[in-house]
Amino acid sequence: MSETPDTSEGQASQKALTITQLIAGMAMFGSATPVSKIVTQAAPVFIASLFRVGLGALFLAPLAWRRRDAMRDIATADWVRIGFIALFGMVGFSAFMLYGMRLASGVTGAVVMSTTPAVTAAASMAFLGDRSTWRKLAAIGCAVIGVLVLQLGGSGAEAGSSLWGVVLVFAAVCCESAYTLLGKTLTKTLDPVLVAFLASALSIPLFVPLAVWQWSDFTPSEFDAGVWTALIWYGLGTLALGSWIWYAGVQKAEGATAAAFMGVMPVSALVLSYILLGEAFAWVHLAGFAVVFAGVMLMSWEHASLSDDSETPAKD
């Protein structure tokens, strides 16, 4: 039986909505790099981080409340994993990212953050026993070469970056990878939005004493509208809204389709670094980014390949 026009139009609209959600979610994640540069230039690191996770938890709370019954069934081992996600994915990521972006340009930060898929693949092979493939190894190689091109090509000095800035942003990448791998084991049984809320909420008491320590350096009266917008977006957009929209799209998309949109994040970070931070374009930026982006595409191909294998019916 052929589909009715209404059914076809409805499916097309649903597909368009899913694609929009995947693009928007990854673009929001990518905006974290240039926005964190704006935030860290105006506010103390731990106060900004507390603001971020507080806003994120507040936004996600109504969504988590709908899933409150699932919280009663969370095992002790899963609570421990959520605690580590709060420690690495929220506290570690925010601290390293913000301190790193004080010393790195937005473009440098964008390229280093683009290595996240490759670093996650390397950690997965090292700690979770995932098998290595030529695509994973090539993606890791692209990540290393791309960062070296950026740093050794002179863009670091030109854009006000330092090696320590690269190291700290890369530490944030490692924390993001830990967040992803820990979350991978949890989201098999728990809703990703619930995990994001619980991790945000648990990280708040970890940030409070550090924020109190920096309170004397906090001068919100000097913030202009741009800084307040960046602070609010850093919590609502890059953490809460990005997670909600991305996972809403992932739930309706095939694994291969979702993986293909990984490339939106580094593109968003790079383009917004030019737009929001006004950084000058340099060909070495494009060269370093192109190599790293090739690695991102290889990892997308790897995810698509795994998805196709899992969806192929086994023969008797």
Side-chain angles (χ1 to χ4, degrees):
M1 182 182 294
S2 61
E3 295 178 340
T4 64
D6 289 344
T7 303
S8 299
E9 291 177 6
Q11 290 179 342
S13 298
Q14 183 60 55
K15 184 177 181 180
L17 175 60
T18 300
I19 291 174
T20 301
Q21 289 171 327
L22 293 172
I23 293 174
M26 271 292 141
M28 289 176 185
F29 289 148
S31 70
T33 303
V35 169
S36 65
K37 179 75 172 178
I38 299 172
V39 168
T40 194
Q41 289 175 337
V45 165
F46 294 116
I47 292 177
S49 299
L50 177 62
F51 197 79
R52 176 179 186 251
V53 296
L55 276 178
L58 186 65
F59 180 90
L60 292 171
L63 301 173
W65 180 254
R66 299 176 188 173
R67 302 159 175 83
R68 61 188 181 278
D69 292 339
M71 292 178 60
R72 304 190 187 100
D73 300 324
I74 299 177
T76 302
D78 288 341
W79 277 113
V80 172
R81 291 189 184 94
I82 293 171
F84 277 118
I85 287 177
L87 180 62
F88 291 108
M90 299 297 174
V91 179
F93 175 83
S94 296
F96 285 130
M97 184 70 172
L98 290 174
Y99 276 118
M101 290 308 297
R102 280 186 172 182
L103 303 173
S105 69
V107 171
T108 298
V111 174
V112 175
M113 283 302 298
S114 300
T115 66
T116 301
V119 172
T120 303
S124 184
M125 289 187 289
F127 299 110
L128 299 184
D130 284 3
R131 68 183 180 92
S132 60
T133 66
W134 73 266
R135 284 184 289 261
K136 290 180 182 178
L137 296 176
I140 294 168
C142 287
V144 174
I145 293 170
V147 173
L148 287 177
V149 167
L150 188 74
Q151 198 64 23
L152 300 179
S155 67
E158 293 168 7
S161 296
S162 74
L163 180 59
W164 276 113
V166 172
V167 170
L168 289 172
V169 175
F170 184 74
V173 169
C174 293
C175 288
E176 179 71 13
S177 298
Y179 176 98
T180 300
L181 295 178
L182 288 166
K184 182 179 178 181
T185 64
L186 282 171
T187 53
K188 293 177 180 177
T189 55
L190 294 176
D191 186 279
V193 173
L194 178 61
V195 173
F197 164 74
L198 292 174
S200 299
L202 288 176
S203 67
I204 291 174
L206 299 177
F207 275 123
V208 167
L210 297 170
V212 170
W213 171 57
Q214 291 187 330
W215 193 259
S216 60
D217 299 325
F218 186 46
T219 54
S221 59
E222 299 177 3
F223 294 176
D224 58 21
V227 172
W228 280 115
T229 300
L231 271 169
I232 293 171
W233 180 256
Y234 195 49
L236 291 186
T238 68
L239 175 60
L241 195 58
S243 298
W244 178 38
I245 291 177
W246 169 252
Y247 288 124
V250 167
Q251 288 174 348
K252 294 174 291 185
E254 296 178 354
T257 302
F261 287 89
M262 288 172 57
V264 174
M265 183 175 68
V267 172
S268 168
L270 186 69
V271 172
L272 289 176
S273 292
Y274 290 128
I275 295 174
L276 298 179
L277 304 179
E279 295 186 358
F281 173 81
W283 283 107
V284 71
H285 296 168
L286 190 60
F289 177 78
V291 177
V292 176
F293 189 72
V296 175
M297 292 295 97
L298 281 168
M299 284 307 303
S300 297
W301 185 8
E302 177 68 18
H303 285 300
S305 176
L306 292 174
S307 178
D308 289 341
D309 290 343
S310 65
E311 291 168 8
T312 301
K315 294 182 179 179
D316 295 333

